[in-house]
Amino acid sequence: MFKLDRKSMINGTSAFAASILLLSGCMDGSASNNDTSTKTVQVSKDGSVSNNDTSTKTVKVSTVGVYEIKNKTAIDGGVTYVKSDGIETAYRYNQQNIKGVSFGRVATANEIKAWDLDALPDGTGLPEGEGSVEDGDELYEAQCASCHGDFGGGGYGYPQLAGGNQDKDKNGIVITLKNQRLEPGMDAPKRTIGTYWPVATTLFTYIRDAMPYATPKSLTSDQTYAITAYILAQNGIEIDGVEMDDEYVLNAEKLAKVVLPNRDGFYPNIDGPTGPADVKAFFADRAKNIGSGTRCMTDCKDPGMDGKTEATVMKIGYEMKDVVPAYSTVRDLPPEIENSLISKAEKQYNESCKLCHATDNMGAPALGDIDAWHELMLKGKDKVVYNAIHGMGGMPAKGGNADLIDSDVKLIVEFMIDSSKKKH
Amino acid sequence: MNKEFQTEELASVSRRNFFKRTATVSVAAAATILTPATVLADDENIMHHTKWGTTLGDEINKNPYGVPSKYEHNVVRRTSALMSSAGDMHAAISMTPLHELNGIIVPNGLHFTRTHNGVAHIDPTKWRLMIHGLVEKTIVLTLDQLKRYPSESKVLFVECPSNGAAEWKGPQFNSVQFVRGMMSCSEWTGVRLKTIIDELGLKPEAKWMLAEGSDGSEMSRTLPIEKVLDDVMIVYAQNGEALRDEQGYPVRLMAPGWEANLCVKWLKRLEFGDKPWYAKEETSKYTALTASGKAIQHFYALETNSIITSPCPEVPWTDLKKGDLVEIEGLAWSGHGTIRGVDISFDGGKNWVEASLKGLVLPKAWTRFSYMHKYDGKPLLLQSRSYDDSDNVQPTVNQEKKVVGVEGVYHRNAIHTWAVNAKGEVNNVQIRS
């Protein structure tokens, strides 16, 4: 341990010299006009910050948490620590020979095929299959519109997929993305597939893996191509100069050719043989590229974007108080929660059905909506239960929870009917 | 928007009424100390036998898995519809109650949680990890087989890069839990990925690794090889026990210091390739749009950051009297390395003094700081500013805004300000122009 301490201290001293340089003066002669609030400041003995002479500013060197650094420009702009003699920073590590430790087995070709589905931007990995904009329209209306809005236009709180102005400025920047809400009431940058996303293969992979939201991985490759085609068409995307009309059929080859409007809207470069080196160079210059502070200690100025206006105090304009559970730091006994009064059906409703049926936002009859359920019941209860078990329109079979048995679904439907009756 | 800071106004900032407990304590404390000792009332809690001292307690193993005291029922994660899509709590985030925590380890039940398609529940006997792509030999591991590899444990913070995102355009939540609660710190145990990769043999053309989750969202992200071969782990334990479902049971990736989103939960697949994948969560999201109209991508490490947790809106100074010596306490952390120190300002950033670090000071972990302050009842604009061993210093709101604007969503690490008024109440404000 003594060896570690000495090494740490030696390194700590040299590493610390660099950080002392960060103490900037901020002593440009302008008199401070601070009033009452600054008088409460106590300059600590440890800090030993002098009042007028920049050259005497020192900070007491501490060795806590100072570890031997191998590399100060890791790919993320941070440090890499030395690993030697069984020690890496504060940790000891296993120095025994672990070469030859090997468990598990080789993956089969079929297993890799089953799981390796993510496509690269050049189309590598896209499956066979095809789908038309028209087929996509039908699938989208049934399975996607309840969350993402008609034509991908959003409006229900879930991501908007299409829309937004794709016009660019003379430097090729999508103009809406330059919007900055510096004051209340200013326009937000519009981030849709057409204005923001860099590549289209992402859309295919994501829909196939993660959508529809409540029943992911339920779409075939053909269906996924169709929905992808429909969403690209709603964004006005052309492929090889061809407009995507209703009859347009998308496949792997055509999808790989899509160039989205914001393809060049991201930095640092990650593509090609220099990708990782470009990332490293970018994060090495943090002050310029990301923004960094300075360790000014006295009479610090903090001008704003115009370089002149000093910072002032901004208070909460509209406080977000809608938190669950409500704020409390009280130490008392919890209120009795009458869990026993919630039926199994209601619990299962909460787990599998509430997502869509809590409100009518998703097009489903909302729990407690007397009129909607009255209309539904005109079909007869058996038919309503049948539809719940087998699915109907945008509603997946059993609400997407295949683990529910038919008799459970029946009880859930009965709970929903009971909860949506006129109360006497 | 208020452009002028006036102490009188600060004192009249709207009251919160959820601190009744401290108000009561305040009255009691005042009575105890100001009244001459001879006329002090006797405390009922001392003068009478207690219920718990005069009855038989529970049997030893009534709770085979222990639970917190029921009096601690308000120490919980909290969420808000603002942290979700349309109030749907399957793709949402819950916040760690930073004001209730001590030390640097977060109890597993209070670890913040982010999900993109609900919390998955994986049968560990059916879980498989596949590693393939540009490796000499592919591998499929069961959980038991993964645990056969030599393990290592590290204390690391995990932070959502959206932590503090509600504050880009100004203060919104009057709560430390919502201002900075999208993070936690635990001791994680698992296998260093390099241990397995060395055995499989990485092909020289491999530059990137795709990590993919097995939940409904198949959360996937691309990481550069340099990091993978440095300190990335595949972890199966958190603070001595199996990962919680919310943290990716049975196995998640752990990329120390990097976006929690890169620490893919419910991990199922690692693929090595020569090109990045452009997954949905590294293109449409987790990219930081700047004022130029272009966005920073592959934004890996969380910046150096800090927050004062005492006082804060939830833990105010309303029970203090002038002359009390009180500890200002908080957390500092950096994904770039190790916290070197923290400075404190009482006047909104004009003048600074050095705080002390205390406890364990570990790389890419929460670090506690402390400053003993003589309370004098005057309004304060309290700030903390951390710096790390990569020479990264926490910026002011203006310094950060100047480079990246206010629409980036991710990686916000500007210096935070608590306004302490004359009553000792604490409110969230921002120093900005």
Side-chain angles (χ1 to χ4, degrees):
Chain A
M1 282 312 287
F2 180 65
K3 192 178 165 194
L4 166 68
D5 290 341
R6 274 191 51 158
K7 192 191 276 179
S8 300
M9 286 173 75
I10 291 161
N11 265 279
T13 312
S14 62
F16 205 81
S19 77
I20 289 174
L21 297 176
L22 291 165
L23 282 165
S24 65
C26 306
M27 303 285 290
D28 48 13
S30 55
S32 156
N33 59 353
N34 303 330
D35 47 29
T36 53
S37 53
T38 56
K39 286 174 189 158
T40 63
V41 174
Q42 300 276 319
V43 177
S44 77
K45 281 171 191 164
D46 283 0
S48 65
V49 175
S50 79
N51 272 330
N52 291 309
D53 188 353
T54 317
S55 63
T56 62
K57 279 186 185 176
T58 53
V59 175
K60 192 178 169 186
V61 174
S62 158
T63 53
V64 285
V66 176
Y67 307 112
E68 199 177 346
I69 293 167
K70 181 170 79 183
N71 178 358
K72 258 207 161 173
T73 50
I75 191 162
D76 59 7
V79 300
T80 310
Y81 292 104
V82 168
K83 187 178 183 184
S84 70
D85 297 337
I87 293 166
E88 182 185 18
T89 68
Y91 300 95
R92 284 177 171 266
Y93 66 86
N94 193 346
Q95 276 188 288
Q96 302 161 86
N97 179 21
I98 56 169
K99 201 168 167 48
V101 174
S102 179
F103 298 95
R105 60 168 175 83
V106 167
T108 70
N110 281 336
E111 287 171 344
I112 293 173
K113 204 176 156 197
W115 273 14
D116 182 11
L117 298 170
D118 290 48
L120 290 164
D122 65 8
T124 308
L126 283 173
E128 286 179 12
E130 59 176 33
S132 70
V133 171
E134 195 171 18
D135 290 346
D137 189 354
E138 202 171 300
L139 287 161
Y140 181 90
E141 283 304 314
Q143 307 219 36
C144 320
S146 59
C147 289
H148 296 291
D150 293 336
F151 316 110
Y156 299 128
Y158 291 87
Q160 180 179 342
L161 306 178
N165 189 340
Q166 298 171 5
D167 288 349
K168 295 181 181 182
D169 68 9
K170 61 181 184 338
N171 298 317
I173 308 279
V174 177
I175 293 165
T176 179
L177 299 181
K178 295 201 287 187
N179 286 351
Q180 292 279 315
R181 282 170 286 176
L182 295 168
E183 300 287 343
M186 295 172 101
D187 286 339
K190 198 68 150 177
R191 282 171 262 209
T192 68
I193 292 161
T195 60
Y196 193 67
W197 288 38
V199 299
T201 48
T202 307
L203 184 58
F204 182 92
T205 301
Y206 186 71
I207 294 171
R208 201 254 337 272
D209 284 354
M211 290 287 133
Y213 187 53
T215 54
K217 304 173 189 68
S218 60
L219 296 167
T220 65
S221 289
D222 286 350
Q223 289 174 323
T224 309
Y225 277 115
I227 295 172
T228 304
Y230 175 77
I231 294 169
L232 291 174
Q234 296 313 303
N235 279 287
I237 302 301
E238 295 181 355
I239 301 179
D240 257 352
V242 179
E243 209 173 295
M244 300 179 71
D245 57 16
D246 277 0
E247 283 72 46
Y248 192 94
V249 176
L250 187 68
N251 58 21
E253 193 191 344
K254 290 178 190 165
L255 183 57
K257 286 182 182 166
V258 173
V259 180
L260 290 180
N262 199 38
R263 179 66 185 92
D264 298 324
F266 298 83
Y267 64 102
N269 171 57
I270 54 173
D271 298 320
T274 64
D278 291 346
V279 171
K280 182 179 283 201
F282 175 79
F283 287 117
D285 197 348
R286 193 162 39 222
K288 174 172 165 252
N289 294 322
I290 298 166
S292 184
T294 45
R295 282 196 72 212
C296 168
M297 298 304 280
T298 52
D299 292 334
C300 308
K301 302 272 175 261
D302 186 27
M305 284 178 127
D306 61 2
K308 283 176 256 175
T309 314
E310 273 284 303
T312 51
V313 177
M314 184 196 279
K315 294 177 189 171
I316 294 175
Y318 173 75
E319 189 188 337
M320 299 299 302
K321 289 182 179 173
D322 176 23
V323 307
V324 183
Y327 288 124
S328 176
T329 55
V330 173
R331 257 66 181 181
D332 60 4
L333 290 175
E336 286 301 317
I337 299 164
E338 298 180 347
N339 267 331
S340 54
L341 293 182
I342 297 178
S343 67
K344 181 183 167 198
E346 184 172 354
K347 277 183 195 155
Q348 290 177 329
Y349 161 83
N350 288 336
E351 288 162 11
S352 302
C353 320
K354 193 178 170 186
L355 177 60
C356 298
H357 286 278
T359 67
D360 58 9
N361 279 349
M362 318 256 284
L367 192 77
D369 184 336
I370 293 160
D371 295 341
W373 281 87
H374 177 73
E375 194 181 326
L376 200 64
M377 289 301 286
L378 297 176
K379 295 178 190 174
K381 189 177 124 186
D382 288 352
K383 180 67 181 159
V384 174
V385 171
Y386 179 89
N387 288 343
I389 292 169
H390 297 279
M392 191 208 173
M395 154 132 180
K398 297 177 182 176
N401 184 354
D403 292 343
L404 289 175
I405 56 173
D406 290 1
S407 58
D408 283 344
V409 178
K410 183 163 178 278
L411 289 171
I412 296 169
V413 172
E414 281 166 356
F415 158 75
M416 294 172 79
I417 293 168
D418 274 354
S419 307
S420 309
K421 273 184 186 157
K422 253 187 198 138
K423 298 276 180 290
H424 297 290
Chain B
M1 193 187 314
N2 191 305
K3 289 277 178 194
E4 236 4 90
F5 169 53
Q6 292 178 332
T7 53
E8 293 81 2
E9 274 195 47
L10 200 60
S12 69
V13 170
S14 67
R15 304 288 106 81
R16 303 196 58 85
N17 62 4
F18 61 82
F19 302 116
K20 283 181 181 155
R21 176 182 63 94
T22 41
T24 316
V25 171
S26 162
V27 171
T32 326
I33 292 155
L34 299 178
T35 323
T38 46
V39 294
L40 272 178
D42 297 324
D43 188 336
E44 293 290 305
N45 295 305
I46 293 173
M47 300 310 294
H48 298 287
H49 287 304
T50 55
K51 188 183 166 197
W52 54 87
T54 52
T55 52
L56 192 56
D58 288 343
E59 286 187 354
I60 189 74
N61 212 23
K62 182 190 173 196
N63 298 309
Y65 190 99
V67 293
S69 162
K70 55 189 171 184
Y71 290 92
E72 297 289 313
H73 67 98
N74 283 318
V75 182
V76 288
R77 293 182 289 228
R78 291 186 167 83
T79 187
S80 165
L82 189 72
M83 311 285 167
S84 70
S85 289
D88 165 18
M89 291 300 169
H90 293 84
I93 188 154
S94 68
M95 324 289 276
T96 292
L98 302 179
H99 56 289
E100 301 280 14
L101 299 178
N102 302 284
I104 60 170
I105 298 295
V106 176
N108 292 344
L110 297 177
H111 194 292
F112 89 98
T113 302
R114 169 76 167 110
T115 59
H116 293 81
N117 198 289
V119 174
H121 302 282
I122 294 184
D123 177 344
T125 64
K126 294 179 178 170
W127 176 86
R128 299 290 182 272
L129 176 67
M130 183 189 292
I131 303 178
H132 69 109
L134 295 175
V135 281
E136 298 296 341
K137 187 176 80 175
T138 64
I139 194 170
V140 171
L141 288 165
T142 64
L143 184 58
D144 288 342
Q145 287 165 341
L146 177 66
K147 288 180 174 176
R148 282 286 180 207
Y149 282 84
S151 70
E152 66 175 30
S153 299
K154 274 192 174 173
V155 176
L156 299 165
F157 76 82
V158 173
E159 183 185 20
C160 175
S162 294
N163 201 10
E167 308 267 305
W168 277 107
K169 296 165 203 78
Q172 283 207 323
F173 287 96
N174 210 25
S175 148
V176 73
Q177 184 166 8
F178 280 86
V179 163
R180 279 292 185 283
M182 284 186 209
M183 60 161 182
S184 297
C185 186
S186 297
E187 185 195 49
W188 304 92
T189 299
V191 182
R192 197 175 274 225
L193 187 46
K194 188 175 185 298
T195 305
I196 300 174
I197 299 303
D198 283 351
E199 197 55 33
L200 300 181
L202 197 60
K203 292 186 178 170
E205 60 269 34
K207 285 195 163 58
W208 303 96
M209 180 184 83
L210 181 77
E212 185 173 66
S214 61
D215 62 314
S217 75
E218 295 262 317
M219 244 293 307
S220 51
R221 289 291 302 263
T222 305
L223 290 88
I225 289 298
E226 179 183 314
K227 178 73 171 181
V228 170
L229 296 179
D230 179 25
D231 58 1
V232 171
M233 300 162 74
I234 306 176
V235 300
Y236 45 75
Q238 172 187 8
N239 296 330
E241 64 177 4
L243 301 183
R244 292 289 168 95
D245 284 332
E246 294 97 321
Q247 306 314 325
Y249 179 87
V251 172
R252 81 181 295 176
L253 196 72
M254 184 55 57
W258 286 20
E259 295 182 339
N261 185 258
L262 283 154
C263 303
V264 176
K265 300 197 277 195
W266 308 293
L267 188 67
K268 76 181 233 194
R269 189 168 74 93
L270 299 172
E271 180 179 358
F272 290 90
D274 59 355
K275 301 182 190 78
W277 270 264
Y278 285 80
K280 186 241 178 190
E281 306 298 349
E282 58 200 21
T283 53
S284 79
K285 297 286 191 303
Y286 301 95
T287 48
L289 183 59
T290 68
S292 69
K294 288 195 169 196
I296 301 169
Q297 63 183 347
H298 282 239
F299 203 161
Y300 309 125
L302 283 323
E303 313 296 309
T304 185
N305 213 330
S306 67
I307 186 79
I308 292 171
T309 56
S310 179
C312 67
E314 291 97 324
V315 186
W317 276 347
T318 42
D319 57 327
L320 295 186
K321 61 183 193 323
K322 285 178 189 174
D324 279 348
L325 190 60
V326 62
E327 183 177 35
I328 294 169
E329 207 186 334
L331 293 164
W333 64 101
S334 168
H336 288 113
T338 307
I339 290 297
R340 178 65 55 71
V342 177
D343 304 317
I344 303 270
S345 175
F346 295 85
D347 59 3
K350 291 189 178 73
N351 296 281
W352 296 83
V353 293
E354 280 225 318
S356 301
L357 301 186
K358 60 177 187 178
L360 292 168
V361 183
L362 301 170
K364 302 170 188 180
W366 277 0
T367 301
R368 283 267 166 195
F369 62 85
S370 160
Y371 187 87
M372 294 310 297
H373 170 65
K374 195 155 198 174
Y375 181 70
D376 63 4
K378 286 180 185 155
L380 302 172
L381 290 169
L382 204 52
Q383 298 182 322
S384 62
R385 177 181 69 193
S386 65
Y387 53 101
D388 66 20
D389 57 359
S390 76
D391 299 337
N392 197 10
V393 181
Q394 204 181 339
T396 65
V397 171
N398 279 347
Q399 283 168 335
E400 184 170 43
K401 202 168 70 157
K402 205 168 182 175
V403 181
V404 295
V406 298
E407 297 290 350
V409 181
Y410 306 101
H411 290 258
R412 185 174 180 279
N413 71 321
I415 292 166
H416 190 77
T417 310
W418 297 128
V420 185
N421 68 19
K423 292 188 169 182
E425 294 164 332
V426 180
N427 289 288
N428 181 14
V429 299
Q430 273 186 27
I431 310 291
R432 64 191 289 155
S433 56

